[in-house]
Amino acid sequence: MTQPPKKMRYDSQAIVYLADDLWGTANTLQRKRVAAGDTENAFDFDLAKSRIFAYTQITALPLEYRQATSRLIILGHGNEASTFIATATQGGRSFTPEQLYAEVKKWLTASGYKTTRVQRVSLHMCYGGGNRGALPIAGSSNRPGDFTVDPRTSFAYKLARICGDLTVDVTARADETNTVSNSSGNVLVSASRHVGGRHHAEGDKWRFVTDAASTPENPVNPKVFASYNTPAGQRFR
């Protein structure tokens, strides 16, 4: 019997999509939360625990989605050089790490409130955490310098270097990425993020832990960790 998706460890979640063609992915992520039973917002039980937002339609996120125990997922298109996140694969608007910082700060700030430092900013974009190129899987988390684009020079790293006042950490992938889902009728059975056709493989996902004092005016290098599942089932975070 297929098990439902696991509940998330965040009290609330905002899914912001930059690209119109990624609305379907945003909807799958939302349906995954519903399938997991993540339905009650910890800050207001009458509200959904997870909610989708189009970046063109928001200024500040509602208060219940910008708490210290919230996760912010950002969906956009990346490039192989890991230098920007964009609203389209061709053309559209692209954001440098500094420009995305400005957008995120607006989303996490409302009149009369201090800017929130959320638990995590998760970048769902191709090559946001670097570009592993043709490097084999085994041992790749110990050899990031062999990547085509080292995670330590990636878009996510550069964002984490300046956004410690906005989030505890940033996560991103180091290859092409997409969401794979299965449904039975209209009911979502499973959904997972695949990277280069793999799921939770070594060297594919990276976590960048920020310094709380870092801002664009005061950049501080983040700590860098590989995130993957070992054969024994232990996840390196």
Side-chain angles (χ1 to χ4, degrees), residues 7 18 21-22 46 50 52 75 85 95 117 121 156 167 185 191 197:
K7 290 189 176 184
L18 303 181
D21 64 333
L22 294 177
D46 292 329
S50 178
I52 300 172
L75 299 173
I85 188 170
F95 300 87
R117 187 179 192 234
V121 170
T167 182

Side-chain angles (χ1 to χ4, degrees), residues 20-183:
D20 288 342
D21 64 333
L22 294 177
W23 181 89
T25 300
N27 188 49
T28 297
L29 294 174
Q30 176 70 359
R31 291 175 64 207
K32 182 178 180 180
R33 291 302 103 221
V34 173
D38 283 326
T39 55
E40 289 187 346
N41 190 298
F43 309 104
D44 187 335
F45 290 167
D46 292 329
L47 299 172
K49 192 169 185 177
S50 178
R51 183 177 163 189
I52 300 172
F53 299 87
Y55 102 95
T56 54
Q57 298 175 343
I58 58 172
T59 50
L61 290 168
L63 180 60
E64 58 272 11
Y65 300 104
R66 47 183 173 84
Q67 297 287 331
T69 51
S70 299
R71 172 170 61 180
L72 170 60
I73 295 178
I74 303 174
L75 299 173
H77 294 290
N79 63 324
E80 292 185 2
S82 193
T83 56
F84 62 76
I85 188 170
T87 62
T89 53
Q90 298 291 331
R93 181 180 177 186
S94 62
F95 300 87
T96 65
E98 292 77 14
Q99 290 169 331
L100 185 63
Y101 170 92
E103 294 293 322
V104 173
K105 186 167 185 177
K106 286 191 297 185
W107 302 340
L108 298 180
T109 310
S111 178
Y113 293 91
K114 292 179 63 177
T115 300
T116 302
R117 187 179 192 234
V118 296
Q119 182 65 36
R120 172 165 293 180
V121 170
S122 181
L123 300 176
H124 285 222
M125 58 186 287
C126 294
Y127 306 108
N131 185 345
R132 66 177 304 130
L135 190 69
I137 295 296
S140 60
S141 65
N142 295 320
R143 297 167 55 195
D146 290 342
F147 282 25
T148 301
V149 177
D150 191 315
R152 294 164 295 191
T153 61
S154 68
F155 179 93
Y157 181 94
K158 293 173 183 175
L159 177 64
R161 191 169 180 263
I162 62 174
C163 72
D165 61 330
L166 303 182
T167 182
V168 174
D169 62 24
V170 177
T171 60
R173 281 78 175 174
D175 204 331
E176 292 185 343
T177 178
N178 66 293
T179 297
V180 176
S181 63
N182 294 292
S183 298

